[in-house]
Amino acid sequence: MPGVRLETVQVSDAGWSCGMATDEGEKAAYATFSVSQDPAVIEGIRKSQGFNGHGFDATHTLSDCAGKATYFAMEPGLRYTESLATGAPAPSDLFNAFTKEARAKFGCPTP
């Protein structure tokens, strides 16, 4: 994400999450990237309304990675969405860059 000034990362045995922001406060553009292999999370996702077998949309997907169901998600914040008019990369481009790196780490096949 361009212009990142703040980054927070949370890691557990079954998940990883990273929030990035361009600054502090309500005017900051931000996005959150997450990966989960937690069986309870995966089961909930599969039972969720709107789940289509592969995810929900272009930035919420489920893959098989090294034999484990793995969920990838990205949530752009409102200010990030507003920054698209000033040349910020499209959410799909950010998600593709994120999943390319994450898939390599988690042993996922290349789409």
Side-chain angles (χ1 to χ4, degrees):
M1 192 165 118
V4 172
R5 292 186 184 179
L6 302 171
E7 181 177 330
T8 57
V9 178
Q10 294 179 334
V11 179
S12 73
D13 289 342
W16 175 92
S17 181
C18 177
M20 297 179 172
T22 57
D23 210 340
E24 292 187 57
E26 65 182 49
K27 294 193 181 233
Y30 68 91
T32 303
F33 302 86
S34 303
V35 178
S36 182
Q37 293 181 319
D38 184 311
V41 171
I42 301 299
E43 181 180 344
I45 288 165
R46 286 183 170 145
K47 291 180 179 179
S48 294
Q49 184 176 1
F51 179 71
N52 64 20
H54 301 287
F56 297 97
D57 57 35
T59 59
H60 298 84
T61 61
L62 186 64
S63 298
D64 180 23
C65 300
K68 288 186 175 184
T70 306
Y71 181 64
F72 297 94
M74 183 187 89
E75 290 294 330
L78 175 62
R79 297 282 178 211
Y80 180 79
T81 304
E82 290 173 352
S83 73
L84 293 173
T86 63
S92 60
D93 292 338
L94 284 179
F95 187 73
N96 290 338
F98 158 61
T99 56
K100 180 180 178 183
E101 294 298 320
R103 287 178 183 281
K105 178 181 167 111
F106 287 93
C108 309
T110 304

